[in-house]
Amino acid sequence: MFTQEEIRRLLDIACLGNQKGNILESREIFQSILSFYPEHSGALLGLANNYMAINDFAKAEEILQQVINKNANDIEAKVLLGITYFISDRTEQARPLLEEVKNSTSPSNVLAEYLLTLA
């Protein structure tokens, strides 16, 4: 088991690994967290982002739908799913999610608004 502080640190390391291109190592960290806490939204969002990084949009979508099914108000999952749809040329599916995020108070609303101008 991990403490909340250890989880936060592991998530930071895994997200940095994603950014640096250490995809497999990062995935192992996300999956390790999820082995103890299967519904940890931060680890699930990081894992979805990990799959997006290698263009496995189907796997990313599956994970993000899981998060949204558990919490229909998870704006960060919705923006990531919208991005997943957008970059996999499914702008019609992306549009309603991005509109919802755009109208939210989330910092992601600026990104959603920008992506809608491109859709």
Side-chain angles (χ1 to χ4, degrees):
M1 294 286 219
F2 300 112
T3 67
Q4 290 301 315
E5 180 62 21
E6 289 169 331
I7 291 172
R8 188 191 61 76
R9 288 180 184 168
L10 286 169
L11 287 173
D12 287 346
I13 292 167
C15 288
L16 183 60
N18 267 355
Q19 292 174 1
K20 299 272 186 185
N22 299 324
I23 302 301
L24 295 177
E25 295 86 350
S26 295
R27 186 174 308 149
E28 287 179 16
I29 294 170
F30 291 126
Q31 289 172 334
S32 176
I33 295 168
L34 292 168
S35 71
F36 289 99
Y37 306 98
E39 295 181 8
H40 192 282
S41 64
L44 287 166
L45 295 176
L47 186 60
N49 195 6
N50 183 277
Y51 281 105
M52 290 170 66
I54 60 166
N55 297 331
D56 190 343
F57 302 118
K59 187 66 176 171
E61 179 181 354
E62 176 187 323
I63 294 166
L64 294 167
Q65 287 290 359
Q66 176 186 344
V67 174
I68 293 169
N69 289 342
K70 288 285 183 187
N71 179 4
N73 297 317
D74 192 319
I75 291 295
E76 297 312 311
K78 289 181 180 183
V79 75
L80 281 177
L81 184 57
I83 292 168
T84 299
Y85 289 151
F86 185 83
I87 59 179
S88 60
D89 295 323
R90 297 187 287 167
T91 55
E92 290 309 311
Q93 287 177 281
R95 187 167 283 135
L97 289 167
L98 295 173
E99 283 287 347
E100 183 177 348
V101 174
K102 180 184 97 171
N103 295 323
S104 75
T105 58
S106 167
S108 298
N109 63 3
V110 174
L111 173 61
E113 184 174 15
Y114 175 71
L115 289 174
L116 284 165
T117 66
L118 301 176

